Amino acid sequence: MGFKHRLPQDPGRTHQAPEYTEDEISEVVEALAANAPDLLDVLRRDPATTPMSDYDDAYDRMLTYLFERGYIHTHIEMAMLFKAVRERVGG
């Protein structure tokens, strides 16, 4: 589980935010669709009508899911991946 070729990225050492390929983002979206479809439902909502608390809950759940499965190792990785997934699914 998780990205096989990606090592943890420490922005303090690399001095740049991590970037994710389209394939990596697709892999995460597919994993979430299979195992946490309700989480993706929150991210698909119109941001103008979605309470910030719903996004906070989705972020926390996604952080736990991705960390436990080895997709992410740091908070900056999570922030960048959350943004990419949200943009991909339309939120």
Side-chain angles (χ1 to χ4, degrees):
M1 236 177 252
F3 305 125
K4 292 182 173 96
H5 64 282
R6 182 180 288 274
L7 296 174
Q9 295 186 12
D10 180 356
R13 293 177 188 238
T14 62
H15 300 288
Q16 66 184 39
E19 295 179 10
Y20 290 90
T21 66
E22 292 298 316
D23 289 341
E24 289 172 330
I25 296 167
S26 294
E27 182 180 338
V28 169
V29 170
E30 289 171 13
L32 291 172
N35 300 302
D38 56 320
L39 193 152
L40 280 181
D41 290 341
V42 172
L43 299 180
R44 287 186 177 115
R45 294 184 200 161
D46 178 4
T49 61
T50 303
M52 186 54 86
S53 61
D54 287 357
Y55 274 121
D56 290 344
D57 291 343
Y59 185 92
D60 290 343
R61 289 186 51 223
M62 189 170 158
L63 171 69
T64 301
Y65 178 87
L66 296 176
F67 180 77
E68 288 176 348
R69 287 157 182 83
Y71 286 102
I72 59 165
H73 303 92
T74 66
H75 282 283
I76 190 66
E77 288 177 328
M78 176 57 195
M80 299 306 292
L81 196 51
F82 183 82
K83 178 182 176 187
V85 169
R86 190 183 68 215
E87 288 172 356
R88 170 70 64 87
V89 299

